[in-house]
Coordinates of all heavy atoms in Angstrom, one line a residue:
M431 N -15.8 21.3 9.1 CA -14.8 20.4 8.7 C -15.4 19.4 7.7 O -16.3 18.7 7.9 CB -14.4 19.5 10.0 CG -13.7 20.3 11.0 SD -11.9 20.5 10.7 CE -11.3 18.8 11.1
G432 N -14.7 19.4 6.5 CA -15.1 18.5 5.5 C -14.6 17.1 5.7 O -13.6 16.9 6.4
K433 N -15.3 16.2 5.2 CA -14.9 14.8 5.3 C -14.1 14.4 4.1 O -14.6 14.5 3.0 CB -16.2 13.9 5.5 CG -16.1 13.0 6.6 CD -17.3 12.1 6.7 CE -17.0 10.9 7.6 NZ -18.1 9.9 7.6
K434 N -13.0 13.8 4.4 CA -12.1 13.4 3.3 C -12.7 12.0 2.7 O -13.1 11.2 3.6 CB -10.7 13.1 3.7 CG -9.8 14.3 3.7 CD -8.4 13.9 4.0 CE -7.5 15.0 4.4 NZ -6.2 14.5 4.9
P435 N -12.7 11.8 1.4 CA -13.1 10.5 1.0 C -12.1 9.5 1.5 O -10.9 9.8 1.6 CB -13.0 10.6 -0.6 CG -12.1 11.8 -0.8 CD -12.3 12.7 0.4
P436 N -12.6 8.3 1.8 CA -11.7 7.3 2.4 C -10.6 6.9 1.4 O -10.9 6.6 0.3 CB -12.6 6.2 2.8 CG -13.8 6.3 2.0 CD -13.9 7.8 1.7
L437 N -9.4 6.8 1.9 CA -8.3 6.3 1.0 C -8.3 4.7 1.1 O -8.8 4.2 2.1 CB -7.0 6.7 1.6 CG -6.6 8.2 1.4 CD1 -5.3 8.5 2.2 CD2 -6.3 8.5 -0.1
P438 N -7.8 4.1 0.0 CA -7.7 2.7 0.1 C -6.7 2.4 1.3 O -5.8 3.2 1.5 CB -7.0 2.3 -1.2 CG -7.3 3.4 -2.1 CD -7.4 4.7 -1.3
P439 N -7.0 1.4 2.0 CA -6.2 1.1 3.3 C -4.7 1.1 3.0 O -3.9 1.6 3.8 CB -6.7 -0.2 3.8 CG -7.6 -0.8 2.7 CD -8.0 0.4 1.8
W440 N -4.3 0.6 1.9 CA -2.8 0.5 1.7 C -2.2 1.9 1.4 O -1.0 2.1 1.6 CB -2.5 -0.5 0.6 CG -2.6 0.0 -0.8 CD1 -3.8 -0.2 -1.6 CD2 -1.7 0.6 -1.6 NE1 -3.5 0.4 -2.8 CE2 -2.3 0.9 -2.8 CE3 -0.4 1.0 -1.4 CZ2 -1.6 1.5 -3.9 CZ3 0.3 1.7 -2.4 CH2 -0.3 1.9 -3.6
L441 N -3.0 2.9 1.0 CA -2.4 4.2 0.8 C -2.3 4.9 2.2 O -1.4 5.7 2.4 CB -3.4 5.0 -0.1 CG -3.2 4.8 -1.6 CD1 -4.1 5.8 -2.3 CD2 -1.8 5.0 -2.0
E442 N -3.1 4.6 3.1 CA -3.0 5.1 4.4 C -1.8 4.6 5.1 O -1.3 5.2 6.0 CB -4.2 4.8 5.3 CG -5.5 5.5 4.8 CD -6.7 5.1 5.7 OE1 -6.5 4.7 6.9 OE2 -7.8 5.2 5.2
H443 N -1.3 3.5 4.7 CA -0.1 2.8 5.3 C 1.0 2.7 4.3 O 1.7 1.7 4.3 CB -0.5 1.5 5.8 CG -1.6 1.5 6.9 ND1 -1.3 1.7 8.2 CD2 -2.9 1.5 6.8 CE1 -2.5 1.8 8.9 NE2 -3.5 1.6 8.0
A444 N 1.1 3.7 3.4 CA 2.1 3.5 2.3 C 3.5 3.3 2.7 O 4.2 2.4 2.1 CB 2.0 4.8 1.4
A445 N 3.9 3.9 3.8 CA 5.3 3.7 4.3 C 5.5 2.3 4.8 O 6.5 1.7 4.5 CB 5.6 4.7 5.4
L446 N 4.5 1.8 5.5 CA 4.6 0.4 6.0 C 4.6 -0.6 4.8 O 5.3 -1.6 4.8 CB 3.4 0.1 6.9 CG 3.4 -1.3 7.6 CD1 4.6 -1.6 8.4 CD2 2.1 -1.4 8.4
V447 N 3.7 -0.3 3.8 CA 3.6 -1.2 2.7 C 5.0 -1.3 1.9 O 5.5 -2.3 1.6 CB 2.5 -0.7 1.7 CG1 2.7 -1.3 0.3 CG2 1.1 -1.0 2.3
K448 N 5.6 -0.1 1.7 CA 6.9 -0.1 1.0 C 8.0 -0.8 1.8 O 8.8 -1.5 1.2 CB 7.4 1.4 0.8 CG 6.5 2.1 -0.2 CD 7.1 3.4 -0.6 CE 6.2 4.0 -1.6 NZ 6.7 5.2 -2.2
K449 N 8.0 -0.7 3.1 CA 8.9 -1.4 4.0 C 8.7 -2.9 3.8 O 9.7 -3.7 3.7 CB 8.7 -1.0 5.4 CG 9.8 -1.2 6.3 CD 9.6 -0.6 7.7 CE 10.0 -1.5 8.8 NZ 9.6 -1.1 10.1
K450 N 7.5 -3.3 3.9 CA 7.2 -4.8 3.8 C 7.5 -5.3 2.4 O 8.0 -6.5 2.3 CB 5.7 -5.0 4.1 CG 5.3 -4.8 5.5 CD 4.6 -6.0 6.1 CE 4.3 -5.8 7.6 NZ 4.0 -7.1 8.2
M451 N 7.3 -4.5 1.4 CA 7.6 -5.0 0.0 C 9.1 -5.2 -0.1 O 9.5 -6.2 -0.7 CB 7.2 -3.9 -1.0 CG 5.7 -3.7 -1.1 SD 4.9 -5.0 -2.1 CE 4.8 -4.1 -3.7
K452 N 9.9 -4.3 0.4 CA 11.3 -4.4 0.4 C 11.8 -5.7 1.2 O 12.7 -6.4 0.8 CB 12.0 -3.2 0.9 CG 12.1 -2.1 -0.1 CD 12.9 -0.9 0.4 CE 12.8 0.3 -0.6 NZ 12.9 1.6 0.1
Y453 N 11.1 -5.8 2.3 CA 11.5 -7.0 3.1 C 11.2 -8.3 2.4 O 11.9 -9.3 2.6 CB 10.6 -6.9 4.4 CG 10.9 -8.0 5.4 CD1 12.0 -7.9 6.2 CD2 10.0 -9.0 5.6 CE1 12.3 -8.9 7.2 CE2 10.3 -10.0 6.6 CZ 11.4 -9.9 7.3 OH 11.7 -10.9 8.2
R454 N 10.2 -8.3 1.6 CA 9.8 -9.5 0.8 C 10.7 -9.7 -0.4 O 10.6 -10.7 -1.1 CB 8.4 -9.4 0.3 CG 7.4 -9.5 1.4 CD 6.5 -10.6 1.2 NE 5.5 -10.7 2.3 CZ 4.4 -11.5 2.2 NH1 4.1 -12.1 1.1 NH2 3.6 -11.6 3.2
G455 N 11.6 -8.7 -0.7 CA 12.5 -8.9 -1.8 C 12.0 -8.2 -3.1 O 12.7 -8.3 -4.1
F456 N 11.0 -7.4 -3.0 CA 10.5 -6.7 -4.2 C 11.4 -5.5 -4.4 O 11.9 -4.8 -3.5 CB 9.1 -6.2 -4.0 CG 8.0 -7.2 -4.2 CD1 7.6 -8.0 -3.1 CD2 7.5 -7.4 -5.4 CE1 6.7 -9.0 -3.3 CE2 6.5 -8.4 -5.6 CZ 6.1 -9.2 -4.5
K457 N 11.6 -5.2 -5.7 CA 12.4 -4.0 -6.1 C 11.5 -3.1 -6.9 O 10.8 -3.5 -7.8 CB 13.6 -4.5 -7.0 CG 14.6 -5.3 -6.3 CD 15.9 -4.5 -6.2 CE 17.0 -5.2 -5.5 NZ 16.9 -6.5 -4.9
M458 N 11.6 -1.8 -6.5 CA 10.7 -0.8 -7.2 C 11.4 -0.4 -8.4 O 12.6 -0.1 -8.5 CB 10.5 0.4 -6.2 CG 9.3 1.2 -6.6 SD 9.1 2.6 -5.5 CE 9.3 3.9 -6.6
A459 N 10.6 -0.3 -9.5 CA 11.1 0.2 -10.8 C 11.5 1.7 -10.7 O 10.9 2.4 -9.9 CB 10.1 0.0 -11.9
D460 N 12.5 2.1 -11.4 CA 12.9 3.5 -11.4 C 11.8 4.5 -11.9 O 11.7 5.6 -11.5 CB 14.2 3.7 -12.2 CG 15.4 3.0 -11.7 OD1 15.4 2.7 -10.5 OD2 16.3 2.6 -12.5
R461 N 11.1 3.9 -12.8 CA 10.1 4.8 -13.5 C 8.7 4.6 -12.9 O 8.3 3.5 -12.5 CB 10.0 4.4 -14.9 CG 10.2 5.5 -15.9 CD 10.7 5.0 -17.3 NE 10.1 3.7 -17.7 CZ 9.1 3.6 -18.4 NH1 8.4 4.6 -18.9 NH2 8.7 2.4 -18.8
V462 N 8.0 5.8 -12.7 CA 6.6 5.7 -12.4 C 5.8 5.9 -13.7 O 6.2 6.6 -14.5 CB 6.3 6.9 -11.4 CG1 4.8 7.0 -11.1 CG2 7.0 6.7 -10.1
Q463 N 4.8 5.1 -13.8 CA 4.0 5.2 -15.1 C 2.6 5.8 -14.8 O 2.2 5.9 -13.7 CB 3.9 3.8 -15.8 CG 3.2 2.8 -14.9 CD 3.3 1.4 -15.6 OE1 4.1 1.2 -16.6 NE2 2.6 0.4 -15.1
I464 N 2.0 6.2 -16.0 CA 0.7 6.8 -15.9 C -0.4 5.8 -15.5 O -0.4 4.7 -16.1 CB 0.4 7.6 -17.2 CG1 -0.7 8.6 -17.0 CG2 0.1 6.7 -18.3 CD1 -0.7 9.7 -18.0
C465 N -1.2 6.1 -14.6 CA -2.3 5.2 -14.2 C -3.5 5.4 -15.2 O -3.9 6.5 -15.5 CB -2.7 5.6 -12.8 SG -4.2 4.7 -12.2
Q466 N -4.0 4.2 -15.6 CA -5.0 4.2 -16.6 C -6.4 4.6 -16.0 O -7.3 4.9 -16.7 CB -5.1 2.9 -17.3 CG -4.0 2.6 -18.2 CD -3.8 1.2 -18.6 OE1 -4.5 0.3 -18.0 NE2 -2.9 0.9 -19.5
V467 N -6.4 4.6 -14.7 CA -7.7 4.9 -14.0 C -7.8 6.4 -13.7 O -8.8 7.0 -14.0 CB -7.9 4.1 -12.7 CG1 -9.1 4.5 -11.9 CG2 -8.0 2.6 -13.0
C468 N -6.8 7.0 -13.1 CA -6.9 8.4 -12.7 C -6.0 9.3 -13.5 O -6.0 10.5 -13.3 CB -6.5 8.5 -11.2 SG -4.7 8.1 -10.9
D469 N -5.3 8.8 -14.5 CA -4.4 9.6 -15.4 C -3.3 10.4 -14.7 O -2.9 11.4 -15.2 CB -5.3 10.6 -16.2 CG -6.1 9.9 -17.3 OD1 -5.7 8.8 -17.7 OD2 -7.1 10.4 -17.7
E470 N -2.9 10.0 -13.6 CA -1.8 10.6 -12.9 C -0.5 9.7 -13.0 O -0.6 8.5 -13.1 CB -2.1 10.8 -11.4 CG -3.2 11.7 -11.1 CD -2.8 13.2 -11.2 OE1 -1.7 13.5 -11.1 OE2 -3.8 14.0 -11.5
Y471 N 0.6 10.4 -13.1 CA 1.9 9.7 -13.1 C 2.1 9.2 -11.6 O 2.9 9.9 -10.9 CB 3.0 10.5 -13.6 CG 3.2 10.5 -15.1 CD1 2.7 11.5 -15.9 CD2 3.8 9.4 -15.7 CE1 2.8 11.5 -17.2 CE2 3.9 9.4 -17.1 CZ 3.4 10.4 -17.8 OH 3.5 10.4 -19.2
A472 N 1.5 8.2 -11.3 CA 1.6 7.8 -9.9 C 1.6 6.2 -9.7 O 1.6 5.8 -8.6 CB 0.4 8.3 -9.1
E473 N 1.6 5.5 -10.8 CA 1.6 4.1 -10.7 C 3.0 3.5 -10.6 O 3.8 3.6 -11.5 CB 0.9 3.4 -11.9 CG 0.5 2.0 -11.6 CD -0.3 1.4 -12.7 OE1 0.2 1.3 -13.8 OE2 -1.4 1.0 -12.5
E474 N 3.3 2.9 -9.4 CA 4.6 2.3 -9.2 C 4.6 0.9 -9.5 O 3.5 0.2 -9.3 CB 5.0 2.6 -7.7 CG 5.2 4.0 -7.4 CD 5.6 4.3 -5.9 OE1 5.6 3.3 -5.1 OE2 6.0 5.4 -5.7
T475 N 5.7 0.4 -10.0 CA 5.8 -1.1 -10.3 C 6.8 -1.7 -9.4 O 7.9 -1.2 -9.3 CB 6.1 -1.3 -11.8 OG1 5.2 -0.6 -12.6 CG2 6.2 -2.7 -12.1
W476 N 6.5 -2.8 -8.8 CA 7.4 -3.6 -7.9 C 7.6 -4.9 -8.6 O 6.6 -5.6 -9.0 CB 6.8 -3.7 -6.5 CG 6.6 -2.4 -5.8 CD1 5.6 -1.5 -6.0 CD2 7.5 -1.9 -4.8 NE1 5.8 -0.5 -5.1 CE2 7.0 -0.7 -4.4 CE3 8.7 -2.4 -4.2 CZ2 7.6 0.1 -3.4 CZ3 9.3 -1.6 -3.2 CH2 8.7 -0.4 -2.8
S477 N 8.8 -5.4 -8.6 CA 9.0 -6.7 -9.2 C 9.8 -7.6 -8.2 O 10.7 -7.2 -7.5 CB 9.9 -6.6 -10.4 OG 9.2 -5.8 -11.4
L478 N 9.4 -8.9 -8.2 CA 10.1 -9.9 -7.5 C 10.6 -10.9 -8.5 O 9.8 -11.5 -9.2 CB 9.1 -10.5 -6.4 CG 9.7 -11.6 -5.6 CD1 10.7 -11.1 -4.6 CD2 8.6 -12.4 -4.8
K479 N 11.9 -11.1 -8.5 CA 12.4 -12.1 -9.4 C 12.2 -13.5 -8.8 O 12.5 -13.7 -7.6 CB 13.9 -11.9 -9.6 CG 14.2 -10.5 -10.2 CD 14.3 -10.7 -11.7 CE 14.7 -9.3 -12.4 NZ 13.5 -8.4 -12.4
G480 N 11.7 -14.4 -9.7 CA 11.5 -15.8 -9.2 C 12.8 -16.5 -9.1 O 13.7 -16.3 -9.9
G481 N 12.8 -17.4 -8.2 CA 14.0 -18.3 -8.1 C 13.9 -19.4 -9.1 O 13.0 -19.4 -10.0
Q482 N 14.7 -20.4 -9.0 CA 14.7 -21.6 -9.9 C 13.3 -22.3 -9.8 O 13.0 -22.7 -8.7 CB 15.8 -22.5 -9.6 CG 17.1 -22.0 -10.2 CD 18.2 -23.0 -10.2 OE1 18.2 -24.0 -9.4 NE2 19.2 -22.9 -11.1
G483 N 12.7 -22.5 -10.9 CA 11.4 -23.2 -10.9 C 10.3 -22.4 -10.3 O 9.2 -22.9 -10.2
M484 N 10.5 -21.2 -9.9 CA 9.5 -20.3 -9.4 C 9.2 -19.1 -10.2 O 10.2 -18.4 -10.6 CB 9.8 -19.9 -8.0 CG 9.5 -20.9 -6.9 SD 10.0 -20.4 -5.3 CE 9.2 -18.8 -5.1
G485 N 8.0 -18.8 -10.5 CA 7.7 -17.6 -11.2 C 7.8 -16.4 -10.3 O 7.7 -16.5 -9.1
G486 N 8.1 -15.3 -10.9 CA 8.2 -14.1 -10.1 C 6.8 -13.5 -9.9 O 5.8 -14.1 -10.3
R487 N 6.8 -12.3 -9.4 CA 5.6 -11.6 -9.3 C 5.8 -10.1 -9.5 O 6.8 -9.6 -9.1 CB 5.0 -11.8 -7.8 CG 3.6 -11.1 -7.7 CD 3.2 -11.3 -6.2 NE 2.5 -12.5 -5.9 CZ 1.2 -12.7 -6.2 NH1 0.4 -11.8 -6.8 NH2 0.6 -13.9 -5.8
D488 N 4.9 -9.5 -10.3 CA 5.0 -8.0 -10.5 C 3.7 -7.4 -9.8 O 2.6 -8.0 -10.0 CB 5.0 -7.7 -12.0 CG 6.3 -8.1 -12.6 OD1 7.3 -7.8 -12.1 OD2 6.2 -8.8 -13.7
I489 N 3.9 -6.3 -9.2 CA 2.8 -5.6 -8.6 C 2.8 -4.1 -9.1 O 3.8 -3.5 -9.0 CB 2.8 -5.6 -7.1 CG1 2.7 -7.1 -6.6 CG2 1.8 -4.7 -6.5 CD1 2.8 -7.2 -5.1
C490 N 1.7 -3.7 -9.6 CA 1.5 -2.3 -10.0 C 0.5 -1.7 -9.0 O -0.5 -2.2 -8.8 CB 0.9 -2.2 -11.4 SG 2.2 -2.2 -12.7
A491 N 0.9 -0.6 -8.4 CA 0.1 0.1 -7.5 C 0.1 1.6 -7.7 O 1.2 2.2 -7.7 CB 0.5 -0.3 -6.1
C492 N -1.1 2.2 -7.8 CA -1.2 3.6 -8.0 C -1.2 4.3 -6.6 O -1.9 4.0 -5.8 CB -2.4 4.0 -8.8 SG -2.6 5.8 -9.0
M493 N -0.2 5.3 -6.5 CA -0.1 6.0 -5.2 C -1.1 7.1 -5.1 O -1.2 7.8 -4.1 CB 1.3 6.6 -5.1 CG 2.4 5.6 -5.0 SD 2.2 4.4 -3.8 CE 2.5 5.3 -2.3
N494 N -1.9 7.3 -6.2 CA -2.9 8.4 -6.2 C -4.3 7.9 -5.9 O -5.0 8.3 -4.9 CB -2.9 9.1 -7.5 CG -3.9 10.3 -7.5 OD1 -3.8 11.2 -6.7 ND2 -4.8 10.3 -8.4
C495 N -4.8 6.9 -6.7 CA -6.1 6.4 -6.5 C -6.2 5.0 -5.8 O -7.3 4.6 -5.4 CB -6.9 6.4 -7.9 SG -6.3 5.1 -9.0
G496 N -5.1 4.4 -5.7 CA -5.1 3.1 -5.0 C -5.3 1.9 -5.8 O -5.5 0.8 -5.3
R497 N -5.4 2.0 -7.2 CA -5.5 0.9 -8.0 C -4.3 -0.1 -7.8 O -3.2 0.4 -7.8 CB -5.6 1.3 -9.5 CG -5.8 0.1 -10.4 CD -5.5 0.5 -11.8 NE -6.0 -0.5 -12.8 CZ -5.7 -0.5 -14.1 NH1 -4.9 0.4 -14.6 NH2 -6.2 -1.4 -14.9
A498 N -4.6 -1.3 -7.6 CA -3.5 -2.3 -7.5 C -3.8 -3.5 -8.3 O -4.9 -4.1 -8.4 CB -3.4 -2.7 -6.0
R499 N -2.7 -3.9 -9.0 CA -2.8 -5.1 -9.9 C -1.5 -6.0 -9.6 O -0.5 -5.4 -9.2 CB -2.8 -4.7 -11.3 CG -4.0 -4.0 -11.8 CD -3.8 -3.6 -13.2 NE -2.9 -2.5 -13.3 CZ -2.3 -2.1 -14.5 NH1 -2.6 -2.7 -15.6 NH2 -1.5 -1.1 -14.5
S500 N -1.7 -7.2 -9.9 CA -0.5 -8.1 -9.7 C -0.5 -9.2 -10.8 O -1.5 -9.7 -11.2 CB -0.6 -8.8 -8.3 OG 0.5 -9.7 -8.2
W501 N 0.7 -9.5 -11.2 CA 0.9 -10.6 -12.2 C 1.8 -11.6 -11.5 O 2.8 -11.3 -11.0 CB 1.6 -10.1 -13.5 CG 0.7 -9.2 -14.3 CD1 -0.1 -9.6 -15.3 CD2 0.6 -7.8 -14.1 NE1 -0.7 -8.4 -15.8 CE2 -0.3 -7.4 -15.1 CE3 1.1 -6.8 -13.3 CZ2 -0.7 -6.0 -15.3 CZ3 0.8 -5.5 -13.4 CH2 -0.1 -5.1 -14.4
K502 N 1.4 -12.8 -11.7 CA 2.1 -14.0 -11.1 C 2.6 -14.8 -12.3 O 2.0 -15.0 -13.3 CB 1.2 -14.8 -10.3 CG 1.8 -15.4 -9.1 CD 0.7 -15.9 -8.1 CE 0.7 -17.4 -8.0 NZ -0.4 -17.8 -7.1
G503 N 3.8 -15.3 -12.1 CA 4.4 -16.3 -13.1 C 5.0 -15.5 -14.3 O 5.1 -14.3 -14.3
Q504 N 5.3 -16.3 -15.3 CA 6.0 -15.7 -16.5 C 5.4 -16.3 -17.8 O 4.8 -17.3 -17.8 CB 7.5 -16.1 -16.5 CG 8.2 -15.2 -15.4 CD 9.5 -15.9 -15.0 OE1 9.7 -17.0 -15.2 NE2 10.4 -15.1 -14.4
G505 N 5.6 -15.6 -18.9 CA 5.2 -16.0 -20.2 C 3.7 -16.2 -20.3 O 2.9 -15.4 -19.8
A506 N 3.3 -17.3 -21.1 CA 1.9 -17.5 -21.4 C 1.1 -17.8 -20.2 O -0.1 -17.6 -20.2 CB 1.8 -18.6 -22.4
G507 N 1.7 -18.3 -19.1 CA 1.0 -18.7 -17.9 C 0.7 -17.5 -17.0 O 0.2 -17.7 -15.9
R508 N 1.1 -16.3 -17.4 CA 1.0 -15.2 -16.6 C -0.5 -14.8 -16.3 O -1.3 -14.7 -17.3 CB 1.6 -14.0 -17.3 CG 2.5 -13.2 -16.4 CD 3.4 -12.3 -17.3 NE 4.1 -11.4 -16.4 CZ 4.0 -10.1 -16.5 NH1 3.3 -9.5 -17.4 NH2 4.6 -9.3 -15.6
V509 N -0.9 -14.7 -15.1 CA -2.2 -14.4 -14.8 C -2.3 -13.1 -14.0 O -1.5 -12.8 -13.1 CB -2.8 -15.5 -13.9 CG1 -4.3 -15.2 -13.5 CG2 -2.7 -16.9 -14.6
V510 N -3.2 -12.2 -14.4 CA -3.4 -10.9 -13.7 C -4.4 -11.1 -12.6 O -5.4 -11.7 -12.8 CB -3.7 -9.8 -14.7 CG1 -5.0 -9.9 -15.3 CG2 -3.6 -8.4 -13.9
E511 N -4.1 -10.5 -11.5 CA -5.1 -10.4 -10.4 C -5.5 -8.9 -10.2 O -4.6 -8.1 -9.9 CB -4.6 -10.9 -9.1 CG -4.2 -12.4 -9.1 CD -3.4 -12.8 -7.8 OE1 -3.9 -12.4 -6.7 OE2 -2.4 -13.4 -8.0
E512 N -6.7 -8.6 -10.5 CA -7.2 -7.2 -10.3 C -8.6 -7.2 -9.8 O -9.4 -7.8 -10.5 CB -7.0 -6.4 -11.5 CG -7.3 -4.9 -11.3 CD -7.3 -4.0 -12.5 OE1 -7.0 -4.5 -13.6 OE2 -7.5 -2.8 -12.3
P513 N -9.0 -6.5 -8.8 CA -8.1 -5.8 -7.9 C -7.2 -6.7 -7.1 O -7.7 -7.8 -6.8 CB -9.0 -5.0 -7.0 CG -10.3 -5.8 -7.0 CD -10.4 -6.4 -8.4
F514 N -6.1 -6.2 -6.7 CA -5.1 -7.1 -5.9 C -5.2 -6.6 -4.4 O -5.1 -5.4 -4.1 CB -3.7 -6.9 -6.5 CG -2.7 -7.7 -5.8 CD1 -2.8 -9.1 -5.7 CD2 -1.6 -7.1 -5.1 CE1 -1.8 -9.8 -5.1 CE2 -0.7 -7.8 -4.5 CZ -0.8 -9.2 -4.5
D515 N -5.3 -7.6 -3.6 CA -5.4 -7.3 -2.1 C -4.0 -7.1 -1.6 O -3.4 -8.1 -1.0 CB -6.2 -8.4 -1.4 CG -6.3 -8.2 0.1 OD1 -6.0 -7.0 0.5 OD2 -6.7 -9.1 0.8
L516 N -3.4 -6.0 -1.8 CA -2.1 -5.7 -1.3 C -1.9 -5.8 0.2 O -0.9 -6.4 0.6 CB -1.7 -4.3 -1.8 CG -0.2 -3.9 -1.8 CD1 0.7 -4.9 -2.5 CD2 0.0 -2.5 -2.4
M517 N -2.8 -5.3 0.9 CA -2.8 -5.4 2.4 C -2.8 -6.8 2.8 O -2.0 -7.2 3.7 CB -4.0 -4.6 3.0 CG -4.0 -3.2 2.6 SD -2.6 -2.2 3.2 CE -3.1 -2.0 4.9
G518 N -3.7 -7.6 2.3 CA -3.8 -9.0 2.6 C -2.5 -9.8 2.3 O -2.0 -10.6 3.0
F519 N -2.0 -9.5 1.1 CA -0.7 -10.1 0.6 C 0.4 -9.9 1.5 O 1.2 -10.7 1.8 CB -0.5 -9.6 -0.8 CG 0.8 -10.1 -1.4 CD1 1.0 -11.4 -1.8 CD2 1.9 -9.2 -1.6 CE1 2.2 -11.9 -2.4 CE2 3.1 -9.7 -2.1 CZ 3.2 -11.0 -2.5
L520 N 0.5 -8.6 2.0 CA 1.6 -8.3 2.9 C 1.3 -8.6 4.4 O 2.2 -8.4 5.2 CB 1.9 -6.8 2.7 CG 2.5 -6.4 1.4 CD1 2.6 -4.8 1.3 CD2 3.8 -7.0 1.1
G521 N 0.1 -9.0 4.6 CA -0.2 -9.4 6.0 C -0.4 -8.2 6.9 O -0.1 -8.3 8.1
I522 N -0.9 -7.1 6.3 CA -1.1 -5.9 7.1 C -2.6 -5.9 7.4 O -3.4 -6.0 6.5 CB -0.7 -4.6 6.4 CG1 0.7 -4.7 6.0 CG2 -1.0 -3.4 7.2 CD1 1.2 -3.6 5.0
A523 N -3.0 -5.8 8.6 CA -4.4 -5.7 9.0 C -5.0 -4.4 8.6 O -4.4 -3.3 8.8 CB -4.6 -5.9 10.5
A524 N -6.1 -4.4 7.9 CA -6.8 -3.2 7.5 C -7.3 -2.5 8.7 O -7.8 -3.2 9.7 CB -7.9 -3.5 6.5
P525 N -7.3 -1.2 8.8 CA -7.8 -0.5 10.0 C -9.3 -0.6 10.1 O -10.0 -0.7 9.1 CB -7.3 0.9 9.8 CG -7.2 1.1 8.3 CD -6.8 -0.3 7.8
A526 N -9.8 -0.7 11.3 CA -11.2 -0.7 11.5 C -11.8 0.6 11.0 O -11.2 1.7 11.3 CB -11.5 -1.0 12.9
R527 N -12.9 0.6 10.4 CA -13.6 1.8 9.9 C -14.8 2.2 10.8 O -15.3 1.3 11.5 CB -14.1 1.6 8.5 CG -12.9 1.4 7.5 CD -13.3 1.9 6.1 NE -12.2 1.7 5.2 CZ -11.3 2.6 5.0 NH1 -11.2 3.7 5.6 NH2 -10.3 2.3 4.1
G528 N -15.1 3.4 10.8 CA -16.2 3.9 11.5 C -15.7 4.5 12.8 O -16.2 4.9 13.7
Ligands
ZN872 ZN1 -4.5 5.9 -10.2

């Protein structure tokens, strides 16, 4: 029996992550884009529209290699967070390893 390389925790819980993202009001973009890390068309983009006086948030997450990035705010004040702790953001406890 071969040992699979460990997946990023949020990929192991992809269905739960998507459910939580929708619950938070994120909308998934229609298009999947190419991931700059693994070169697969697997990077999904989620957007949250900001309310009045609040910046929105965009999250890019690769369903293949698990790369996750997030942008907060709008315009010049936009700050990228990479790597982005998607599990922590959504309040999903990472599974214990070992
Ligand atoms: Zn990737």
Side-chain angles (χ1 to χ4, degrees):
M431 292 275 285
K433 225 182 166 187
K434 276 192 196 167
L437 286 171
W440 78 268
L441 278 185
E442 291 181 24
H443 300 273
L446 180 60
V447 165
K448 287 189 181 190
K449 200 173 140 192
K450 289 231 177 200
M451 293 280 264
K452 276 185 191 153
Y453 183 76
R454 291 238 179 165
F456 282 87
K457 292 248 181 357
M458 198 180 120
D460 294 335
R461 231 155 38 95
V462 171
Q463 60 187 12
I464 197 158
C465 173
Q466 290 163 352
V467 172
C468 66
D469 286 336
E470 294 285 335
Y471 274 100
E473 196 176 60
E474 296 182 348
T475 303
W476 296 79
S477 300
L478 180 69
K479 296 269 181 285
Q482 281 192 334
M484 275 176 57
R487 184 185 274 277
D488 292 311
I489 294 174
C490 273
C492 178
M493 297 306 288
N494 183 57
C495 71
R497 181 194 195 194
R499 294 175 288 164
S500 172
W501 292 264
K502 211 165 119 184
Q504 284 159 344
R508 225 161 172 244
V509 181
V510 65
E511 294 170 50
E512 186 183 4
F514 181 62
D515 180 12
L516 195 51
M517 301 295 280
F519 176 71
L520 293 173
I522 303 169
R527 296 210 181 269

